[in-house]
mmCIF file of all heavy atoms in Angstrom:
data_model
loop_
_atom_site.group_PDB
_atom_site.id
_atom_site.type_symbol
_atom_site.label_atom_id
_atom_site.label_comp_id
_atom_site.label_asym_id
_atom_site.label_seq_id
_atom_site.Cartn_x
_atom_site.Cartn_y
_atom_site.Cartn_z
ATOM 1 N N MET P 1 -55.639 -230.807 17.098
ATOM 2 C CA MET P 1 -54.381 -230.255 16.614
ATOM 3 C C MET P 1 -53.850 -231.082 15.447
ATOM 4 O O MET P 1 -53.894 -232.298 15.475
ATOM 5 C CB MET P 1 -53.359 -230.275 17.759
ATOM 6 C CG MET P 1 -52.120 -229.482 17.495
ATOM 7 S SD MET P 1 -50.987 -229.676 18.863
ATOM 8 C CE MET P 1 -52.028 -229.276 20.257
ATOM 9 N N ALA P 188 -65.132 -237.925 9.954
ATOM 10 C CA ALA P 188 -63.946 -238.774 10.062
ATOM 11 C C ALA P 188 -62.732 -238.121 9.405
ATOM 12 O O ALA P 188 -61.593 -238.400 9.785
ATOM 13 C CB ALA P 188 -64.213 -240.134 9.425
ATOM 14 N N ARG P 191 -59.799 -234.914 11.522
ATOM 15 C CA ARG P 191 -59.190 -235.761 12.558
ATOM 16 C C ARG P 191 -59.006 -235.051 13.888
ATOM 17 O O ARG P 191 -59.008 -235.675 14.930
ATOM 18 C CB ARG P 191 -57.849 -236.292 12.051
ATOM 19 C CG ARG P 191 -58.026 -237.507 11.160
ATOM 20 C CD ARG P 191 -56.697 -238.063 10.766
ATOM 21 N NE ARG P 191 -56.031 -237.159 9.849
ATOM 22 C CZ ARG P 191 -54.716 -237.120 9.655
ATOM 23 N NH1 ARG P 191 -53.939 -237.913 10.347
ATOM 24 N NH2 ARG P 191 -54.191 -236.297 8.781
ATOM 25 N N ASP P 192 -58.785 -233.734 13.849
ATOM 26 C CA ASP P 192 -58.598 -233.048 15.130
ATOM 27 C C ASP P 192 -59.886 -232.442 15.653
ATOM 28 O O ASP P 192 -59.894 -231.753 16.660
ATOM 29 C CB ASP P 192 -57.501 -231.989 15.019
ATOM 30 C CG ASP P 192 -57.853 -230.922 14.012
ATOM 31 O OD1 ASP P 192 -58.961 -230.987 13.428
ATOM 32 O OD2 ASP P 192 -57.034 -230.018 13.798
ATOM 33 N N LYS P 193 -60.967 -232.715 14.957
ATOM 34 C CA LYS P 193 -62.311 -232.339 15.408
ATOM 35 C C LYS P 193 -62.429 -230.840 15.698
ATOM 36 O O LYS P 193 -63.106 -230.438 16.646
ATOM 37 C CB LYS P 193 -62.709 -233.136 16.673
ATOM 38 C CG LYS P 193 -62.499 -234.626 16.563
ATOM 39 C CD LYS P 193 -63.321 -235.236 15.473
ATOM 40 C CE LYS P 193 -63.022 -236.706 15.290
ATOM 41 N NZ LYS P 193 -63.492 -237.235 14.016
ATOM 42 N N ASP P 204 -55.170 -236.902 3.268
ATOM 43 C CA ASP P 204 -54.971 -238.154 4.012
ATOM 44 C C ASP P 204 -56.206 -239.049 3.925
ATOM 45 O O ASP P 204 -56.109 -240.266 3.754
ATOM 46 C CB ASP P 204 -54.666 -237.849 5.488
ATOM 47 C CG ASP P 204 -53.311 -237.192 5.665
ATOM 48 O OD1 ASP P 204 -52.484 -237.268 4.734
ATOM 49 O OD2 ASP P 204 -53.086 -236.576 6.728
ATOM 50 N N TYR P 205 -57.361 -238.418 4.040
ATOM 51 C CA TYR P 205 -58.616 -239.176 3.983
ATOM 52 C C TYR P 205 -58.779 -239.839 2.614
ATOM 53 O O TYR P 205 -59.063 -241.037 2.516
ATOM 54 C CB TYR P 205 -59.794 -238.222 4.262
ATOM 55 C CG TYR P 205 -61.153 -238.889 4.232
ATOM 56 C CD1 TYR P 205 -61.705 -239.435 5.388
ATOM 57 C CD2 TYR P 205 -61.890 -238.948 3.058
ATOM 58 C CE1 TYR P 205 -62.949 -240.040 5.366
ATOM 59 C CE2 TYR P 205 -63.143 -239.557 3.025
ATOM 60 C CZ TYR P 205 -63.665 -240.098 4.184
ATOM 61 O OH TYR P 205 -64.902 -240.703 4.150
ATOM 62 N N ARG P 208 -56.218 -242.686 1.834
ATOM 63 C CA ARG P 208 -56.527 -243.895 2.590
ATOM 64 C C ARG P 208 -57.745 -244.613 1.996
ATOM 65 O O ARG P 208 -57.764 -245.845 1.856
ATOM 66 C CB ARG P 208 -56.778 -243.535 4.061
ATOM 67 C CG ARG P 208 -57.286 -244.697 4.926
ATOM 68 C CD ARG P 208 -56.255 -245.815 5.030
ATOM 69 N NE ARG P 208 -56.771 -246.932 5.780
ATOM 70 C CZ ARG P 208 -56.540 -247.129 7.076
ATOM 71 N NH1 ARG P 208 -55.775 -246.292 7.756
ATOM 72 N NH2 ARG P 208 -57.040 -248.173 7.704
ATOM 73 N N LYS P 209 -58.739 -243.816 1.625
ATOM 74 C CA LYS P 209 -59.950 -244.407 1.055
ATOM 75 C C LYS P 209 -59.658 -245.080 -0.291
ATOM 76 O O LYS P 209 -60.209 -246.143 -0.595
ATOM 77 C CB LYS P 209 -61.031 -243.329 0.874
ATOM 78 C CG LYS P 209 -61.702 -242.929 2.162
ATOM 79 C CD LYS P 209 -62.676 -244.009 2.586
ATOM 80 C CE LYS P 209 -63.494 -243.607 3.792
ATOM 81 N NZ LYS P 209 -64.484 -244.629 4.148
ATOM 82 N N ALA P 216 -60.135 -253.689 -1.043
ATOM 83 C CA ALA P 216 -61.409 -254.421 -0.953
ATOM 84 C C ALA P 216 -61.728 -255.138 -2.257
ATOM 85 O O ALA P 216 -62.364 -256.188 -2.260
ATOM 86 C CB ALA P 216 -62.544 -253.468 -0.596
ATOM 87 N N GLN P 259 -59.651 -220.380 23.421
ATOM 88 C CA GLN P 259 -59.305 -221.767 23.054
ATOM 89 C C GLN P 259 -57.894 -221.829 22.479
ATOM 90 O O GLN P 259 -57.106 -222.703 22.827
ATOM 91 C CB GLN P 259 -60.295 -222.313 22.009
ATOM 92 C CG GLN P 259 -61.630 -222.734 22.589
ATOM 93 C CD GLN P 259 -62.551 -223.276 21.497
ATOM 94 O OE1 GLN P 259 -62.451 -222.883 20.340
ATOM 95 N NE2 GLN P 259 -63.456 -224.166 21.879
ATOM 96 N N GLU P 263 -54.887 -224.141 23.688
ATOM 97 C CA GLU P 263 -54.288 -225.085 22.723
ATOM 98 C C GLU P 263 -52.785 -224.860 22.624
ATOM 99 O O GLU P 263 -52.006 -225.803 22.466
ATOM 100 C CB GLU P 263 -54.938 -224.913 21.343
ATOM 101 C CG GLU P 263 -56.328 -225.515 21.258
ATOM 102 C CD GLU P 263 -57.069 -225.089 19.993
ATOM 103 O OE1 GLU P 263 -56.444 -224.468 19.117
ATOM 104 O OE2 GLU P 263 -58.263 -225.365 19.905
ATOM 105 N N LYS P 270 -46.839 -231.133 24.312
ATOM 106 C CA LYS P 270 -46.777 -232.243 23.348
ATOM 107 C C LYS P 270 -45.407 -232.930 23.270
ATOM 108 O O LYS P 270 -45.331 -234.165 23.241
ATOM 109 C CB LYS P 270 -47.186 -231.725 21.962
ATOM 110 C CG LYS P 270 -47.537 -232.810 20.989
ATOM 111 C CD LYS P 270 -48.963 -233.274 21.189
ATOM 112 C CE LYS P 270 -49.397 -234.207 20.093
ATOM 113 N NZ LYS P 270 -50.769 -234.679 20.310
ATOM 114 N N LYS P 273 -44.520 -235.994 25.397
ATOM 115 C CA LYS P 273 -45.174 -237.296 25.204
ATOM 116 C C LYS P 273 -44.164 -238.410 24.963
ATOM 117 O O LYS P 273 -44.358 -239.542 25.403
ATOM 118 C CB LYS P 273 -46.163 -237.235 24.031
ATOM 119 C CG LYS P 273 -47.074 -238.444 23.944
ATOM 120 C CD LYS P 273 -48.207 -238.255 22.956
ATOM 121 C CE LYS P 273 -49.199 -239.425 23.028
ATOM 122 N NZ LYS P 273 -50.333 -239.253 22.129
ATOM 123 N N GLU P 279 -48.409 -242.360 31.778
ATOM 124 C CA GLU P 279 -49.328 -241.903 32.823
ATOM 125 C C GLU P 279 -48.994 -240.480 33.256
ATOM 126 O O GLU P 279 -49.873 -239.660 33.506
ATOM 127 C CB GLU P 279 -49.286 -242.849 34.028
ATOM 128 C CG GLU P 279 -49.974 -244.190 33.808
ATOM 129 C CD GLU P 279 -51.455 -244.058 33.473
ATOM 130 O OE1 GLU P 279 -52.148 -243.249 34.104
ATOM 131 O OE2 GLU P 279 -51.912 -244.773 32.554
ATOM 132 N N TYR P 281 -47.550 -238.224 31.472
ATOM 133 C CA TYR P 281 -47.962 -237.310 30.405
ATOM 134 C C TYR P 281 -49.467 -237.020 30.500
ATOM 135 O O TYR P 281 -49.903 -235.875 30.409
ATOM 136 C CB TYR P 281 -47.611 -237.903 29.045
ATOM 137 C CG TYR P 281 -48.076 -237.066 27.878
ATOM 138 C CD1 TYR P 281 -47.461 -235.833 27.596
ATOM 139 C CD2 TYR P 281 -49.145 -237.460 27.089
ATOM 140 C CE1 TYR P 281 -47.898 -235.041 26.534
ATOM 141 C CE2 TYR P 281 -49.594 -236.683 26.025
ATOM 142 C CZ TYR P 281 -48.966 -235.477 25.759
ATOM 143 O OH TYR P 281 -49.395 -234.690 24.711
ATOM 144 N N TYR P 282 -50.229 -238.084 30.712
ATOM 145 C CA TYR P 282 -51.682 -237.896 30.832
ATOM 146 C C TYR P 282 -52.001 -236.984 32.021
ATOM 147 O O TYR P 282 -52.899 -236.136 31.949
ATOM 148 C CB TYR P 282 -52.384 -239.243 31.008
ATOM 149 C CG TYR P 282 -52.393 -240.122 29.766
ATOM 150 C CD1 TYR P 282 -52.325 -241.504 29.863
ATOM 151 C CD2 TYR P 282 -52.484 -239.565 28.493
ATOM 152 C CE1 TYR P 282 -52.343 -242.321 28.735
ATOM 153 C CE2 TYR P 282 -52.497 -240.369 27.362
ATOM 154 C CZ TYR P 282 -52.426 -241.736 27.488
ATOM 155 O OH TYR P 282 -52.437 -242.532 26.371
ATOM 156 N N ASN P 283 -51.268 -237.175 33.117
ATOM 157 C CA ASN P 283 -51.512 -236.334 34.294
ATOM 158 C C ASN P 283 -51.236 -234.859 33.982
ATOM 159 O O ASN P 283 -51.894 -233.971 34.527
ATOM 160 C CB ASN P 283 -50.642 -236.776 35.464
ATOM 161 C CG ASN P 283 -51.090 -238.121 36.025
ATOM 162 O OD1 ASN P 283 -52.234 -238.529 35.795
ATOM 163 N ND2 ASN P 283 -50.205 -238.821 36.717
ATOM 164 N N GLU P 286 -54.148 -233.589 31.394
ATOM 165 C CA GLU P 286 -55.553 -233.691 31.809
ATOM 166 C C GLU P 286 -56.119 -232.355 32.314
ATOM 167 O O GLU P 286 -57.203 -231.941 31.858
ATOM 168 C CB GLU P 286 -55.733 -234.782 32.858
ATOM 169 C CG GLU P 286 -57.208 -235.020 33.174
ATOM 170 C CD GLU P 286 -57.415 -236.159 34.174
ATOM 171 O OE1 GLU P 286 -56.609 -236.256 35.127
ATOM 172 O OE2 GLU P 286 -58.355 -236.939 34.012
ATOM 173 N N LEU P 292 -60.063 -226.720 28.811
ATOM 174 C CA LEU P 292 -60.562 -226.546 27.440
ATOM 175 C C LEU P 292 -61.990 -227.077 27.314
ATOM 176 O O LEU P 292 -62.828 -226.488 26.628
ATOM 177 C CB LEU P 292 -59.623 -227.283 26.469
ATOM 178 C CG LEU P 292 -59.735 -226.953 24.981
ATOM 179 C CD1 LEU P 292 -59.489 -225.470 24.718
ATOM 180 C CD2 LEU P 292 -58.730 -227.785 24.189
ATOM 181 N N GLU P 297 -68.006 -225.914 27.009
ATOM 182 C CA GLU P 297 -69.380 -225.762 27.501
ATOM 183 C C GLU P 297 -69.913 -224.366 27.226
ATOM 184 O O GLU P 297 -71.088 -224.179 26.898
ATOM 185 C CB GLU P 297 -69.427 -226.063 28.997
ATOM 186 C CG GLU P 297 -69.231 -227.536 29.310
ATOM 187 C CD GLU P 297 -69.444 -227.865 30.784
ATOM 188 O OE1 GLU P 297 -69.059 -227.030 31.630
ATOM 189 O OE2 GLU P 297 -69.984 -228.941 31.072
ATOM 190 N N ASP P 300 -70.822 -224.195 23.670
ATOM 191 C CA ASP P 300 -72.117 -224.844 23.477
ATOM 192 C C ASP P 300 -73.244 -223.913 23.891
ATOM 193 O O ASP P 300 -74.278 -223.810 23.215
ATOM 194 C CB ASP P 300 -72.201 -226.131 24.327
ATOM 195 C CG ASP P 300 -71.525 -227.313 23.632
ATOM 196 O OD1 ASP P 300 -71.051 -227.117 22.496
ATOM 197 O OD2 ASP P 300 -71.481 -228.401 24.221
ATOM 198 N N SER P 310 -75.468 -228.450 19.722
ATOM 199 C CA SER P 310 -74.056 -228.844 19.781
ATOM 200 C C SER P 310 -73.897 -230.280 19.309
ATOM 201 O O SER P 310 -74.825 -231.065 19.351
ATOM 202 C CB SER P 310 -73.504 -228.707 21.201
ATOM 203 O OG SER P 310 -74.134 -229.639 22.036
ATOM 204 N N GLY P 311 -72.678 -230.596 18.851
ATOM 205 C CA GLY P 311 -72.409 -231.957 18.369
ATOM 206 C C GLY P 311 -70.962 -232.310 18.577
ATOM 207 O O GLY P 311 -70.408 -232.032 19.620
ATOM 208 N N GLY P 313 -66.972 -232.111 18.344
ATOM 209 C CA GLY P 313 -65.905 -231.131 18.190
ATOM 210 C C GLY P 313 -66.471 -229.731 18.062
ATOM 211 O O GLY P 313 -67.495 -229.392 18.643
ATOM 212 N N LYS V 410 -61.240 -260.566 -2.813
ATOM 213 C CA LYS V 410 -62.107 -259.404 -2.953
ATOM 214 C C LYS V 410 -63.260 -259.498 -1.963
ATOM 215 O O LYS V 410 -63.794 -260.589 -1.752
ATOM 216 C CB LYS V 410 -62.634 -259.375 -4.391
ATOM 217 C CG LYS V 410 -63.415 -258.166 -4.769
ATOM 218 C CD LYS V 410 -63.814 -258.260 -6.229
ATOM 219 C CE LYS V 410 -64.798 -257.162 -6.583
ATOM 220 N NZ LYS V 410 -65.232 -257.245 -7.958
ATOM 221 N N SER V 411 -63.628 -258.370 -1.396
ATOM 222 C CA SER V 411 -64.755 -258.357 -0.466
ATOM 223 C C SER V 411 -65.986 -258.960 -1.138
ATOM 224 O O SER V 411 -66.347 -258.556 -2.239
ATOM 225 C CB SER V 411 -65.045 -256.914 -0.036
ATOM 226 O OG SER V 411 -66.189 -256.865 0.754
ATOM 227 N N VAL V 672 -62.456 -250.743 7.412
ATOM 228 C CA VAL V 672 -62.525 -249.833 8.559
ATOM 229 C C VAL V 672 -63.970 -249.409 8.827
ATOM 230 O O VAL V 672 -64.435 -249.416 9.969
ATOM 231 C CB VAL V 672 -61.632 -248.597 8.302
ATOM 232 C CG1 VAL V 672 -61.862 -247.540 9.386
ATOM 233 C CG2 VAL V 672 -60.166 -249.005 8.254
ATOM 234 N N ASP V 673 -64.676 -249.045 7.739
ATOM 235 C CA ASP V 673 -66.042 -248.534 7.901
ATOM 236 C C ASP V 673 -66.939 -249.583 8.561
ATOM 237 O O ASP V 673 -66.891 -250.749 8.219
ATOM 238 C CB ASP V 673 -66.632 -248.186 6.524
ATOM 239 C CG ASP V 673 -65.876 -247.043 5.882
ATOM 240 O OD1 ASP V 673 -65.123 -246.365 6.600
ATOM 241 O OD2 ASP V 673 -66.017 -246.845 4.665
ATOM 242 N N LEU V 701 -57.122 -251.666 13.003
ATOM 243 C CA LEU V 701 -57.146 -251.428 11.555
ATOM 244 C C LEU V 701 -56.492 -250.091 11.198
ATOM 245 O O LEU V 701 -56.495 -249.692 10.038
ATOM 246 C CB LEU V 701 -58.589 -251.453 11.036
ATOM 247 C CG LEU V 701 -59.225 -252.840 10.989
ATOM 248 C CD1 LEU V 701 -60.739 -252.745 10.758
ATOM 249 C CD2 LEU V 701 -58.601 -253.689 9.890
ATOM 250 N N GLN V 702 -55.949 -249.403 12.205
ATOM 251 C CA GLN V 702 -55.235 -248.137 12.021
ATOM 252 C C GLN V 702 -56.073 -247.129 11.235
ATOM 253 O O GLN V 702 -55.698 -246.707 10.131
ATOM 254 C CB GLN V 702 -53.900 -248.387 11.320
ATOM 255 C CG GLN V 702 -53.024 -249.330 12.124
ATOM 256 C CD GLN V 702 -51.723 -249.651 11.434
ATOM 257 O OE1 GLN V 702 -51.681 -249.829 10.224
ATOM 258 N NE2 GLN V 702 -50.658 -249.716 12.191
ATOM 259 N N LEU V 704 -57.825 -243.561 10.174
ATOM 260 C CA LEU V 704 -57.339 -242.181 10.169
ATOM 261 C C LEU V 704 -57.867 -241.433 11.382
ATOM 262 O O LEU V 704 -57.155 -240.671 12.015
ATOM 263 C CB LEU V 704 -57.845 -241.471 8.910
ATOM 264 C CG LEU V 704 -56.997 -241.570 7.662
ATOM 265 C CD1 LEU V 704 -57.680 -240.843 6.528
ATOM 266 C CD2 LEU V 704 -55.615 -240.974 7.905
ATOM 267 N N ASP V 705 -59.138 -241.689 11.680
ATOM 268 C CA ASP V 705 -59.793 -240.949 12.764
ATOM 269 C C ASP V 705 -59.547 -241.661 14.093
ATOM 270 O O ASP V 705 -60.433 -242.290 14.658
ATOM 271 C CB ASP V 705 -61.291 -240.850 12.452
ATOM 272 C CG ASP V 705 -61.998 -239.859 13.346
ATOM 273 O OD1 ASP V 705 -61.325 -239.267 14.213
ATOM 274 O OD2 ASP V 705 -63.213 -239.688 13.186
ATOM 275 N N ARG V 727 -59.930 -243.776 31.065
ATOM 276 C CA ARG V 727 -59.306 -242.453 31.164
ATOM 277 C C ARG V 727 -58.163 -242.333 30.157
ATOM 278 O O ARG V 727 -58.030 -241.322 29.459
ATOM 279 C CB ARG V 727 -58.788 -242.246 32.584
ATOM 280 C CG ARG V 727 -57.988 -240.961 32.767
ATOM 281 C CD ARG V 727 -57.492 -240.798 34.204
ATOM 282 N NE ARG V 727 -56.602 -239.648 34.346
ATOM 283 C CZ ARG V 727 -55.290 -239.708 34.325
ATOM 284 N NH1 ARG V 727 -54.684 -240.886 34.156
ATOM 285 N NH2 ARG V 727 -54.564 -238.625 34.478
ATOM 286 N N ARG V 728 -57.333 -243.370 30.102
ATOM 287 C CA ARG V 728 -56.188 -243.334 29.179
ATOM 288 C C ARG V 728 -56.669 -243.120 27.744
ATOM 289 O O ARG V 728 -56.135 -242.304 27.003
ATOM 290 C CB ARG V 728 -55.409 -244.645 29.255
ATOM 291 C CG ARG V 728 -54.578 -244.770 30.499
ATOM 292 C CD ARG V 728 -53.721 -246.037 30.479
ATOM 293 N NE ARG V 728 -53.416 -246.420 31.841
ATOM 294 C CZ ARG V 728 -53.912 -247.467 32.490
ATOM 295 N NH1 ARG V 728 -54.723 -248.299 31.870
ATOM 296 N NH2 ARG V 728 -53.586 -247.717 33.740
ATOM 297 N N LEU V 731 -58.051 -239.576 27.197
ATOM 298 C CA LEU V 731 -57.007 -238.550 27.103
ATOM 299 C C LEU V 731 -56.235 -238.689 25.788
ATOM 300 O O LEU V 731 -55.790 -237.702 25.211
ATOM 301 C CB LEU V 731 -56.070 -238.645 28.312
ATOM 302 C CG LEU V 731 -56.731 -238.239 29.636
ATOM 303 C CD1 LEU V 731 -55.792 -238.510 30.820
ATOM 304 C CD2 LEU V 731 -57.139 -236.764 29.630
ATOM 305 N N GLU V 732 -56.116 -239.910 25.325
ATOM 306 C CA GLU V 732 -55.457 -240.126 24.028
ATOM 307 C C GLU V 732 -56.297 -239.492 22.913
ATOM 308 O O GLU V 732 -55.758 -238.849 22.003
ATOM 309 C CB GLU V 732 -55.295 -241.638 23.790
ATOM 310 C CG GLU V 732 -54.267 -242.039 22.760
ATOM 311 C CD GLU V 732 -52.869 -241.516 23.055
ATOM 312 O OE1 GLU V 732 -52.374 -241.658 24.194
ATOM 313 O OE2 GLU V 732 -52.280 -240.950 22.124
ATOM 314 N N ASP V 735 -55.895 -235.810 23.210
ATOM 315 C CA ASP V 735 -54.535 -235.414 22.834
ATOM 316 C C ASP V 735 -54.462 -235.196 21.312
ATOM 317 O O ASP V 735 -53.755 -234.328 20.827
ATOM 318 C CB ASP V 735 -53.552 -236.499 23.261
ATOM 319 C CG ASP V 735 -52.109 -236.043 23.136
ATOM 320 O OD1 ASP V 735 -51.816 -234.899 23.541
ATOM 321 O OD2 ASP V 735 -51.289 -236.814 22.611
ATOM 322 N N THR V 736 -55.236 -236.009 20.588
ATOM 323 C CA THR V 736 -55.296 -235.866 19.120
ATOM 324 C C THR V 736 -56.231 -234.734 18.727
ATOM 325 O O THR V 736 -55.937 -233.978 17.802
ATOM 326 C CB THR V 736 -55.812 -237.178 18.485
ATOM 327 O OG1 THR V 736 -55.018 -238.252 18.952
ATOM 328 C CG2 THR V 736 -55.763 -237.115 16.968
ATOM 329 N N ALA V 737 -57.356 -234.659 19.412
ATOM 330 C CA ALA V 737 -58.395 -233.694 19.037
ATOM 331 C C ALA V 737 -58.881 -232.975 20.301
ATOM 332 O O ALA V 737 -59.898 -233.358 20.882
ATOM 333 C CB ALA V 737 -59.552 -234.418 18.357
ATOM 334 N N PRO V 738 -58.168 -231.937 20.727
ATOM 335 C CA PRO V 738 -58.462 -231.311 22.029
ATOM 336 C C PRO V 738 -59.868 -230.715 22.123
ATOM 337 O O PRO V 738 -60.418 -230.630 23.209
ATOM 338 C CB PRO V 738 -57.403 -230.209 22.144
ATOM 339 C CG PRO V 738 -56.354 -230.538 21.150
ATOM 340 C CD PRO V 738 -57.020 -231.300 20.060
ATOM 341 N N ASN V 739 -60.425 -230.318 20.961
ATOM 342 C CA ASN V 739 -61.755 -229.690 21.004
ATOM 343 C C ASN V 739 -62.879 -230.644 20.612
ATOM 344 O O ASN V 739 -63.927 -230.219 20.164
ATOM 345 C CB ASN V 739 -61.766 -228.455 20.099
ATOM 346 C CG ASN V 739 -61.045 -227.294 20.747
ATOM 347 O OD1 ASN V 739 -61.441 -226.843 21.815
ATOM 348 N ND2 ASN V 739 -59.968 -226.848 20.135
ATOM 349 N N TYR V 740 -62.628 -231.923 20.770
ATOM 350 C CA TYR V 740 -63.617 -232.951 20.407
ATOM 351 C C TYR V 740 -64.701 -232.930 21.483
ATOM 352 O O TYR V 740 -64.519 -233.438 22.581
ATOM 353 C CB TYR V 740 -62.883 -234.286 20.372
ATOM 354 C CG TYR V 740 -63.637 -235.469 19.804
ATOM 355 C CD1 TYR V 740 -64.830 -235.328 19.113
ATOM 356 C CD2 TYR V 740 -63.111 -236.747 19.947
ATOM 357 C CE1 TYR V 740 -65.474 -236.426 18.590
ATOM 358 C CE2 TYR V 740 -63.748 -237.860 19.422
ATOM 359 C CZ TYR V 740 -64.940 -237.686 18.756
ATOM 360 O OH TYR V 740 -65.576 -238.778 18.237
ATOM 361 N N ARG V 741 -65.826 -232.302 21.140
ATOM 362 C CA ARG V 741 -66.834 -232.007 22.174
ATOM 363 C C ARG V 741 -67.371 -233.242 22.910
ATOM 364 O O ARG V 741 -67.444 -233.225 24.142
ATOM 365 C CB ARG V 741 -67.994 -231.194 21.562
ATOM 366 C CG ARG V 741 -67.703 -229.719 21.412
ATOM 367 C CD ARG V 741 -67.349 -229.020 22.738
ATOM 368 N NE ARG V 741 -68.485 -228.920 23.651
ATOM 369 C CZ ARG V 741 -68.425 -229.151 24.964
ATOM 370 N NH1 ARG V 741 -67.279 -229.518 25.517
ATOM 371 N NH2 ARG V 741 -69.489 -229.023 25.723
ATOM 372 N N PRO V 742 -67.766 -234.300 22.223
ATOM 373 C CA PRO V 742 -68.274 -235.455 22.989
ATOM 374 C C PRO V 742 -67.221 -235.984 23.968
ATOM 375 O O PRO V 742 -67.546 -236.360 25.095
ATOM 376 C CB PRO V 742 -68.587 -236.487 21.903
ATOM 377 C CG PRO V 742 -68.782 -235.694 20.670
ATOM 378 C CD PRO V 742 -67.861 -234.525 20.777
ATOM 379 N N GLN V 744 -64.820 -234.198 25.279
ATOM 380 C CA GLN V 744 -64.695 -233.197 26.354
ATOM 381 C C GLN V 744 -65.792 -233.408 27.403
ATOM 382 O O GLN V 744 -65.539 -233.342 28.605
ATOM 383 C CB GLN V 744 -64.815 -231.791 25.770
ATOM 384 C CG GLN V 744 -63.565 -231.323 25.016
ATOM 385 C CD GLN V 744 -63.715 -229.898 24.528
ATOM 386 O OE1 GLN V 744 -64.826 -229.425 24.264
ATOM 387 N NE2 GLN V 744 -62.585 -229.211 24.393
ATOM 388 N N LYS V 745 -66.986 -233.677 26.914
ATOM 389 C CA LYS V 745 -68.101 -233.885 27.859
ATOM 390 C C LYS V 745 -67.847 -235.110 28.735
ATOM 391 O O LYS V 745 -68.095 -235.091 29.939
ATOM 392 C CB LYS V 745 -69.423 -234.049 27.075
ATOM 393 C CG LYS V 745 -69.920 -232.747 26.482
ATOM 394 C CD LYS V 745 -71.178 -232.984 25.664
ATOM 395 C CE LYS V 745 -71.631 -231.676 25.018
ATOM 396 N NZ LYS V 745 -72.738 -231.859 24.070
ATOM 397 N N LEU V 748 -65.283 -234.272 31.405
ATOM 398 C CA LEU V 748 -65.847 -233.546 32.548
ATOM 399 C C LEU V 748 -66.666 -234.486 33.432
ATOM 400 O O LEU V 748 -66.620 -234.410 34.654
ATOM 401 C CB LEU V 748 -66.721 -232.387 32.050
ATOM 402 C CG LEU V 748 -65.941 -231.252 31.348
ATOM 403 C CD1 LEU V 748 -66.901 -230.187 30.836
ATOM 404 C CD2 LEU V 748 -64.909 -230.617 32.289
ATOM 405 N N ARG V 754 -64.538 -238.485 39.707
ATOM 406 C CA ARG V 754 -63.419 -238.651 40.645
ATOM 407 C C ARG V 754 -63.402 -237.572 41.722
ATOM 408 O O ARG V 754 -62.697 -237.684 42.706
ATOM 409 C CB ARG V 754 -62.090 -238.614 39.868
ATOM 410 C CG ARG V 754 -61.909 -239.764 38.901
ATOM 411 C CD ARG V 754 -60.444 -240.013 38.635
ATOM 412 N NE ARG V 754 -59.744 -238.848 38.129
ATOM 413 C CZ ARG V 754 -59.648 -238.548 36.827
ATOM 414 N NH1 ARG V 754 -60.227 -239.312 35.930
ATOM 415 N NH2 ARG V 754 -59.000 -237.480 36.440
#
Side-chain angles (χ1 to χ4, degrees):
Chain P
M1 192 183 308
R191 278 184 290 157
D192 62 2
K193 310 298 175 197
D204 291 343
Y205 180 90
R208 173 64 183 263
K209 284 284 186 177
Q259 282 181 331
E263 285 168 9
K270 196 82 171 179
K273 192 169 187 178
E279 286 300 317
Y281 176 70
Y282 289 146
N283 290 340
E286 187 177 39
L292 195 59
E297 289 187 323
D300 278 358
S310 67
Chain V
K410 187 178 171 182
S411 175
V672 171
D673 295 345
L701 287 168
Q702 301 177 321
L704 272 178
D705 192 359
R727 174 180 174 263
R728 285 185 205 109
L731 291 173
E732 199 57 49
D735 191 44
T736 307
N739 284 300
Y740 190 12
R741 280 302 291 137
Q744 285 183 332
K745 287 177 183 172
L748 292 177
R754 295 204 303 271

